[in-house]
């Protein structure tokens, strides 16, 4: 159920003015009653009970917890009401770093509203109310969060209006005064914690500031006063130490007031008790009104109500050393130096990691390197050591390094002698783990070998395909003249050998004295295309001897393509010419239509129905016929003659009709004319069969 109206009145937003006035008076009375009870209470436990009874129970709350925040950001349950005694005892102390609603309010320095505790995943006191809503409000005094007020409802609640949150924040402020009054405090002018902090700062090897909060008359935090600077302190602006002591932080370093800058971090640490550390932080000071930016590692911690700030300016030497360290780490490089006379060996941390040794173990002398290498690399290591130690010349080598833990790495070692005259003083050098590079080179070498083998196979297959194609399909062949019919053929293979295709043609006189004319195009290139072309061309020749018509011949040829070959797909045109009747019957299987040139005009013949060869197992092919007149020219071709990438098939066919219409000459020269002027750009085989009735 929803909690009672927080104002205690019976009128909502649409109620009467008198009702709303009574509600405000009721809320004010509750707050004054709670404030009187808190101020009169003897300890924090009594404050918690008074707040629940007078101010929170009317809001529907069933429990309240008051936490105090320690210097290390831990939380201690100082007072509670509405919880079982054993439950409160179990939650008496929450260590730093444990995420709870109170911890969130402490870290964010803001009131945190949680509609349902279970959904949030945050644990807290009150296991019987895990499904209920929680609100946690920081209790702040003098700019420092001294504790947190946590209020519990038994049921999930939506976020409350601002007036309820303001009441909660007012109650948290009461808790802050109570926690300050009941805590073990010391007079501000003579604070033993601050004195101990001064002693601590003096033994630090880095510059340090001890800061004390500077409050307004009403207790609000305005700034921090520099209470002490240690003997290592060097002012960023070059001022004497004595002139900085006693100044306000923002007075001494006004440019530290930006968001995320030093003052912001100090204020957060002072408020929450959570220490801050950064390895790289920009510190800005004014030197004769000119901003000077230094990069430093900064640490900030709270001690009582005082704050200790320690920093270490990153000089050029340190920066370069860090840069070198990270470069060696990323490059997996370990450096060494051996004192030949004294026997002292110096390794950096990365070299211990390469050897698989703990940094506290003894380094391995360079002369003992042969004991760590693969037996096959012993000769290379021996030559390397002889060059460096005896001939006293720089040298390098690569070898397989066998660590004591069984791991094998590929290492490159480089070394140079350090000489004083003719005397060898030391040897210095570096090891680099090149295992990744080695295996990459091995993989690349294997890939190159495989690629070379594949290229050789492809070239051999292309050569065989080309030989097969040219044996079956010569580039030109003598014209055929039979029964007054003149037949000419032109064939142009693809320009690139690896694109050897499966275009084919045939023109032969059958035993029935009819003339078979055919062209076709196998999908694919290479050996598969060439062998498929041979299968279909020879099959059609054999089938044509049966005397069947062109439609039936394509039906049988489709069965050959579908069942007797390796997934061949092809287009084809098959025509039979009867010299006695001058009738040409033809059928097509997904192929461009023949073109008839009559009286100087070229037209595409009608397209009878017919699917590609090999696409389906059973297919029917319609036939068409035309009677040829004297001087008629019939053109059968493959798409390599007309196809362009930037145009559809109808546009490409229009070019052929135009080119065939506008030319007069012999059949042979007509075919050469079409090949020479072909706009095709697909680099495919091209085949033309021309037939002229004389």
């Amino acid at each position: 159920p929803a909690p009672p109206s927080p104002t205690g009145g019976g009128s909502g937003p649409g109620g009467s003015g008198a009702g709303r006035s009574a509600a405000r008076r009721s809320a004010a009375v509750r707050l004054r009653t709670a404030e009187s009870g808190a101020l009169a209470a003897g300890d924090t436990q009594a404050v918690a009970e008074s707040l629940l009874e007078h101010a929170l129970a009317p809001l529907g709350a069933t429990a309240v917890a008051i936490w105090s925040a320690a210097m290390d950001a831990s939380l201690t349950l100082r007072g509670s009401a509405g919880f079982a005694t054993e439950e409160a005892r179990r939650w008496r102390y929450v260590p730093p770093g444990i995420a709870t609603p109170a911890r969130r309010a402490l870290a964010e320095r803001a009131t945190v509203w949680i509609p349902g505790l279970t959904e949030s995943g945050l644990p807290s006191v009150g296991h019987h109310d895990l499904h209920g809503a929680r609100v946690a409000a920081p209790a702040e005094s003098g700019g420092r969060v001294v504790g947190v007020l946590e209020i519990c409802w038994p049921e999930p609640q939506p976020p409350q209006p601002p007036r309820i949150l303001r009441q909660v924040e007012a109650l948290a402020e009461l808790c802050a005064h109570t926690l300050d009054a009941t805590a073990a405090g010391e007079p501000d002018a003579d604070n033993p914690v601050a004195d101990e902090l001064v002693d601590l700062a003096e033994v630090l090897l880095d510059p340090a500031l001890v800061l004390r909060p500077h409050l307004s008359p009403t207790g609000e935090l305005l700034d921090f006063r520099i209470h002490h600077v240690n003997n290592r302190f060097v002012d960023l602006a070059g001022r004497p130490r004595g002139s900085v002591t006693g100044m306000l932080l923002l007075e001494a370093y006004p440019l530290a007031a930006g968001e995320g800058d030093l003052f912001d971090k100090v204020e957060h640490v002072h408020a929450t008790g959570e220490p801050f550390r950064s390895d790289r932080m920009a510190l800005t000071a004014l030197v004769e009104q000119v901003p000077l930016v230094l990069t430093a590692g900064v640490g900030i911690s709270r001690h009582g109500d005082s704050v200790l700030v320690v920093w270490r300016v990153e000089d050029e030497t340190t920066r370069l050393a860090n840069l070198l360290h990270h470069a060696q780490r990323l490059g997996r490089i370990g450096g060494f130096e051996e004192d030949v006379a004294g026997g002292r060996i110096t390794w950096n941390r990365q070299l211990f990691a390469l050897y698989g040794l703990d940094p506290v173990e003894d380094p391995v002398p360079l002369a003992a390197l042969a004991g760590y290498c693969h037996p096959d690399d012993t000769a290379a290591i021996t030559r390397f050591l002889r060059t460096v130690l005896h001939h006293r010349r720089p040298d390098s080598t690569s070898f397989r390094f066998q660590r004591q833990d069984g791991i094998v790495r590929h290492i490159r070692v480089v070394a140079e002698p350090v000489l004083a005259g003719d005397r060898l003083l030391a040897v210095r050098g570096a090891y680099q783990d090149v295992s990744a590079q080695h295996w990459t080179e091995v993989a690349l070498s294997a890939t190159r070998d495989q690629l070379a083998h594949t290229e050789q196979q492809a070239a051999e297959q292309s050569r065989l395909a080309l030989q097969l194609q040219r044996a079956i399909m010569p580039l030109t062949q003598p014209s055929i003249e039979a029964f007054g019919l003149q037949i000419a053929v032109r064939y142009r293979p693809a320009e690139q050998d690896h694109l050897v295709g499966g275009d084919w043609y045939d023109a032969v006189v059958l035993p029935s004295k009819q003339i078979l004319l055919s062209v076709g195009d196998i999908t694919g290139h290479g050996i598969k295309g060439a062998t498929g072309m041979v299968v279909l061309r020879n099959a059609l020749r054999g089938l044509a001897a049966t005397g069947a018509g062109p439609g039936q011949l394509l039906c049988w040829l489709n069965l050959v393509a579908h069942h007797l070959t390796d997934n061949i797909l092809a287009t084809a045109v098959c025509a039979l010419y009867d010299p006695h009747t001058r009738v040409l019957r033809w059928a097509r299987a997904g192929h461009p239509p023949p073109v008839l040139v009559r009286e100087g005009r070229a037209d595409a013949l009608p397209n009878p129905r017919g699917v590609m060869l090999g696409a389906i197992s059973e297919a029917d092919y319609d036939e068409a016929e035309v009677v040829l007149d004297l001087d008629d020219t019939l053109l059968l071709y493959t798409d390599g003659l007309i196809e362009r990438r930037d145009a559809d098939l109808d546009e490409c066919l229009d070019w052929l009709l135009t080119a065939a219409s506008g030319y007069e000459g012999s059949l042979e020269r007509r075919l050469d004319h079409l090949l020479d002027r072909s706009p095709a750009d697909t680099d495919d085989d091209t085949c033309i069969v021309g037939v002229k009735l004389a």
Side-chain angles (χ1 to χ4, degrees), residues 242-323:
S243 65
V244 176
T245 304
M247 296 178 67
L248 296 175
L249 182 61
L250 293 181
E251 178 186 359
Y253 304 107
L255 298 183
E259 183 177 356
D261 286 338
L262 182 63
F263 184 84
D264 190 21
K265 303 302 182 184
V266 170
E267 183 184 23
H268 184 82
V269 171
H270 174 261
T272 65
E274 293 183 336
F276 169 81
R277 177 176 178 177
S278 174
D279 292 333
R280 291 178 61 86
M281 182 176 179
L283 302 178
T284 308
L286 282 176
V287 180
E288 297 182 356
Q289 303 306 312
V290 177
L292 173 65
V293 181
L294 299 176
T295 301
V298 177
I300 307 173
S301 58
R302 190 181 77 183
H303 304 264
D305 63 348
S306 301
V307 177
L308 177 66
V309 181
V310 183
W311 69 87
R312 177 177 296 175
V313 176
E314 184 181 43
D315 58 17
E316 187 69 10
T317 302
T318 303
R319 189 179 69 83
L320 291 177
N322 288 334
L323 181 63

Side-chain angles (χ1 to χ4, degrees), residues 129-143:
D129 286 334
L130 291 181
H131 296 286
R134 297 285 174 112
V135 63
E140 190 168 334
S141 175

Side-chain angles (χ1 to χ4, degrees), residues 337-688:
E337 183 174 276
E338 293 190 20
D339 182 355
V340 175
R344 185 166 176 250
I345 304 174
T346 303
W347 279 9
N348 67 357
R349 182 175 295 272
Q350 187 62 36
L351 188 51
F352 280 99
L354 289 180
Y355 265 81
L357 299 177
D358 192 275
V360 299
E361 297 185 63
D362 294 332
V364 177
L366 191 64
L369 186 58
Y372 288 83
C373 74
H374 190 277
D376 294 344
D377 297 331
T378 303
I381 291 297
T382 301
R383 287 193 300 270
F384 166 74
L385 294 176
R386 185 168 58 249
T387 301
V388 175
L389 299 177
H390 298 287
H391 299 300
R392 300 178 182 179
R393 294 197 306 267
D395 197 14
S396 65
T397 189
S398 297
F399 65 100
R400 283 161 290 182
F401 180 77
Q402 295 180 320
R403 296 187 353 182
Q404 293 178 350
D405 54 10
I407 296 177
V408 177
R409 311 295 295 175
H410 290 264
I411 300 293
R412 181 176 182 270
V413 59
V414 57
E416 65 175 4
V418 179
L419 304 174
D422 294 333
R423 190 162 59 95
L424 179 63
L425 297 180
V427 177
R428 59 191 173 203
Y431 293 79
Q432 183 177 16
D433 187 346
V434 294
S435 300
Q437 177 183 347
H438 169 78
W439 291 118
T440 300
E441 291 175 352
V442 170
L444 286 175
S445 178
T447 302
R448 283 194 295 267
D449 292 343
Q450 184 178 7
L451 182 59
H453 180 66
T454 302
E455 289 177 347
Q456 183 179 1
Q457 283 185 321
E460 186 68 19
Q461 289 183 356
S462 296
R463 185 181 62 82
L464 292 175
L466 188 59
Q467 289 178 346
L468 178 61
Q469 182 192 61
R470 289 178 178 175
I472 304 299
M473 297 284 108
L475 301 184
T476 60
Q477 69 177 32
S479 298
I480 302 173
E481 291 192 18
F483 307 105
L485 199 67
Q486 182 182 3
I487 304 172
V489 176
R490 291 293 183 271
Y491 184 81
R492 182 177 64 191
E495 294 183 5
Q496 302 182 40
D497 290 346
H498 71 277
L499 293 179
V500 170
D503 285 16
W504 54 275
Y505 63 88
D506 204 1
V508 62
V509 179
L510 300 176
S512 63
K513 304 307 180 183
Q514 291 186 327
I515 299 175
L516 171 68
L517 303 170
S518 63
V519 294
D521 185 3
I522 306 292
T523 59
H525 300 86
I527 288 290
K528 181 179 179 181
T531 54
M533 171 266 293
V534 173
V535 169
L536 293 188
R537 182 176 183 271
N538 292 341
L540 184 58
R541 270 199 176 191
L543 293 170
T546 63
Q552 183 61 57
L553 292 177
L554 289 184
C555 286
W556 290 338
L557 198 61
N558 176 67
L559 291 174
V560 173
H562 188 78
H563 294 290
L564 302 182
T565 59
D566 184 17
N567 298 323
I568 284 182
L569 294 175
T571 64
V573 170
C574 176
L576 289 174
Y577 175 70
D578 186 343
H580 300 292
T581 62
R582 295 191 299 183
V583 172
L584 179 80
R585 292 187 298 153
W586 65 285
R588 60 180 285 275
H591 201 83
V595 171
L596 178 64
V597 183
R598 175 173 289 172
E599 297 179 353
R601 174 183 174 84
D603 293 295
L605 294 181
N607 269 335
R609 179 177 60 87
V611 301
M612 293 180 66
L613 300 174
I616 57 178
S617 60
E618 300 288 340
D620 294 327
Y621 295 88
D622 295 341
E623 292 184 4
E625 64 179 37
V626 63
V627 178
L628 297 183
D629 295 337
L630 291 177
D631 294 329
D632 281 355
T633 299
L634 184 70
L635 301 175
L636 287 74
Y637 54 92
T638 58
D639 56 8
L641 176 67
I642 62 173
E643 194 172 30
R644 301 199 312 268
R645 294 186 179 93
D646 60 347
D648 57 32
L649 189 58
D650 290 338
E651 293 181 51
C652 298
L653 184 58
D654 289 341
W655 169 85
L656 178 58
L657 297 179
T658 302
S661 299
Y663 184 83
E664 294 182 1
S666 66
L667 180 61
E668 299 275 354
R669 297 187 63 180
R670 180 187 292 275
L671 299 187
D672 291 335
H673 170 79
L674 293 176
L675 272 181
D676 292 341
R677 287 161 178 76
S678 170
D681 58 3
T682 57
D683 194 22
D684 200 359
D685 292 354
T686 301
C687 177
I688 313 175

